[in-house]
Amino acid sequence: MPEPRILLVSNRLPVTVKTEHGKTKAVPSPGGLATALRGPHEQADSLWIGWPGDTSRVEPADRPGLERQLASLRCHPVPLSPTEVAHFYDGFSNGVLWPLYHYLTDKVEREAWSNWRAYVEVNQKFAEAIQSRYRPGDMIWIHDYQLSLVPAILRNRLPEATIGFFLHIPFPSSEVFRILPWRTEILQGMLGADLIGFHTYSYLHHFSRALLHVLDLPVADGMVRLGHRQALLGVFPIGIDAPEFEALAAEPAVQEDARQIRAGNGPRQMILGVDRLDYTKGLTRRLMSIERLLEREPAWRDRFRYVQLIVPSREKVDAYAALRRELDELAGRINATWGTISSLPVHSLYRGVSRERLVALYQAADVMLVTPLRDGMNLVAKEFAACRHDEGGVLVLSEFAGAAAELVEALTVNPYDLDRMALQIKRALQMPDAERQSRMRSLRARVRGFDAHLWAATFLEALRAAGGQRLVPGAAPQVSDEAELEKILERILGFAHLHVVLDYDGTLVPFADTPDLAIPDPDLFSLLQELAARPQTQIHLLSGRTRAGLERWFGHLPIFLHAEHGFWSRAAGSRDWRPLMAGPPAWLPRIRSLLEKVTRETPGSMIEEKSNGVVWHYRLVEPDFGHLRAAALLQTLRKETAQPDLEVLEGEKAIEIRRKGAHKGMVIQRLFEESAGAAQFLALGDDRTDEDMFQAIGAHGVALHVGPGPSMTPYRLENPPAARAFLRRLLAGGPRNVHPKQEVSPTHER
Ligand code: ADQ
């Protein structure tokens, strides 16, 4: 019996047939979907079913050759007549669903009933084509808004088939979606699938609200009950073929092309835009923000050039032809006003370029503008990051692109706010190299971590599971005072051997969006340096961060460093890190893979690796979703806490799983023993992990809690600036020289 396969189904095949001057050829299809699925299709045992483009002008003699070519690419064509293309594709898919799902309701075609009929018929045609190639055991994966009725049509015909559906564009707020006269049919069509996937949690959330509002169907635990069967909903942010882009970016010819593009720009920075010609991509507003920047900063006319590459698409839809005229007029106006004899600020090129040229442009750009009004994901943003081996270039990204939920180190803009967008472009052009690199390094790690192959594999794994639990089992599964401060300072000033033990994040610096962005500032360096120079005083930085991280930022200072909550320690001036215990815990690989799965399913979250444990951060995840995922993860981890050497800590938007007993209190204990009981401590910390050191200090010093959370110590410093002000008072020698008031307040009852 033949092996089961994956049937990929999309409106377009990955190649489009073109007939010019009587000659027929198959060229790669444009657009994000074809680009993203091409790699997984090449590596999997799959058959791709879709429209091959206009084949009506193919000469009879060329047909067998074309069929052979498609078969060799494992493509099964679904031919569509020109009338079907006009009504189903241009009329309904791109004239009604596309603008509505992107919140551009004024672009929705008014007279669409005949188009709707064609939409139904073509969806049936696709279902028939799938059925004709289906073999029991195959998994069917249907893509995008053009085919939303196919899952239900197929479910009727193939009740046992495993069917998945993925929406590549946004699913709008239910208030916008319910404008659609055919809302019921579309929702019911999608619900024929066992698994329905979206790029972001917010699209899934809107879809859930639409099910409730339109069909009165509640979603519980990401699951919808449909009589005796159920459908699962999931978040699967699409990635790019990162290895392919990285390889292209490493090619000497591509790098030489990038060098020549840069040389052609002279001293000017290059701002780049790469888009399909589409009113959702925010091209007009992008040009207007460039004009706004020039109006505010006329001197900048010689400092940059903006190159916009636009690949034509959907040329038969009126709104697209009108857009091109509008863009031409605007670019002409800007160039006429701001151009000089030798330079023009705006260069628009209406053409698709080769992969190699595209990568060279990504590499040559100083600033990449990806500012759609709405975008399901946006792959250009990811491609740009993948191509930047040099860790240069700034990504300016619309907050209305699905990619913004993941690419959190980009400079975000609201494309409707032209003034702020102009300011962000200026900020990008002026960004210091260190910040560019730090942001790009993180962006690259995200793009590499979740590429198109992993995306497809993750969806298919979830689809297989969803197919296995299609039928509902028996029961439905449901889901401070000044006087006190003076006393403290007096006490500390009396300590003969003072050990100042300081936590970093949340204590000395406020929390940043990601750990890499919580960079120490010159004022902190000089404070630590001055504290270390104080007689009879040792300064210890005791953080949850890794050795490399602490070494990179604080290695040059004469202070003691303790990484991973004190599991690793290093004396002032030494490079010799010593561990508290030997070997990584046995459970580490299993817990790591559990967290990797959770991270894959939670866009914006990330894993921090430690030699002694692992941390899952969800600060940048959409809040509701982050809490849901964190609660589910804690539930799963409860089973693990029976192990004697494992403990789970709930941090600030982070869950840490670490080896039990390797905590900050151990460092205090060791320092006390090493000093033969002479050491006295001043400890500052902000979170649960600092409580261990507070407890260990006991009567041997003073513990101060920084920030709003609960603590065992009765003293609280309001925030990192107050913590630094307190340390400066200590340096100044006493409370008499000090002015700020009320930084210390008794902590609240726990
Ligand atoms: P698209 O709307 O097509 O995709 P996008 O994700 O940006 O948008 O993909 C465009 C693709 O075309 C990229 O791979 C890019 O490299 C390529 N491209 C654009 N201009 C080009 C040019 N001038 N020359 C050569 N290549 C060019 C839809 C959704 C998106 C979603 C994808 C995938 O609208 O939101 O990210 O599907 O799910």
Side-chain angles (χ1 to χ4, degrees), residues 30-33 35-36 98 102 144 166 168-169 199 238 245 274-276 281 309-311 351-355 358 362 375-380 383:
L33 185 153
T35 319
W98 177 268
H102 288 87
D144 232 1
F166 189 83
H168 288 258
I169 65 173
H199 287 305
I238 199 168
F245 277 93
V274 173
D275 303 81
R276 241 180 353 88
K281 302 288 179 186
L309 220 63
I310 306 175
V311 63
R351 71 185 71 118
V353 295
S354 69
R355 265 299 148 109
L358 186 63
Y362 285 146
D375 214 331
M377 172 57 73
N378 192 290
L379 300 178
V380 168
E383 291 168 6

Side-chain angles (χ1 to χ4, degrees), residues 244-256:
E244 190 204 333
F245 277 93
E246 298 227 0
L248 269 177
E251 274 182 21
V254 171
Q255 294 189 352
E256 178 53 34

Side-chain angles (χ1 to χ4, degrees), residues 315-394:
E315 286 147 291
K316 293 199 186 104
V317 180
D318 289 347
Y320 288 72
L323 174 63
R324 171 152 187 185
R325 282 195 299 277
E326 187 182 26
L327 291 173
D328 282 344
E329 275 167 30
L330 193 48
R333 186 174 86 203
I334 298 172
N335 281 339
T337 311
W338 299 101
T340 62
I341 298 281
S342 56
S343 75
L344 294 173
V346 180
H347 295 249
S348 305
L349 298 166
Y350 288 93
R351 71 185 71 118
V353 295
S354 69
R355 265 299 148 109
E356 287 76 8
R357 182 31 87 86
L358 186 63
V359 171
L361 281 161
Y362 285 146
Q363 284 187 319
D366 297 285
V367 175
M368 181 84 214
L369 297 185
V370 178
T371 61
L373 304 179
R374 291 277 163 185
D375 214 331
M377 172 57 73
N378 192 290
L379 300 178
V380 168
K382 295 191 170 184
E383 291 168 6
F384 172 63
C387 295
R388 298 308 294 243
H389 290 284
D390 61 338
E391 294 177 347
V394 184

Side-chain angles (χ1 to χ4, degrees), residues 86-99:
H87 293 286
F88 149 76
Y89 182 61
D90 295 327
F92 198 79
S93 300
N94 294 335
V96 178
L97 295 181
W98 177 268

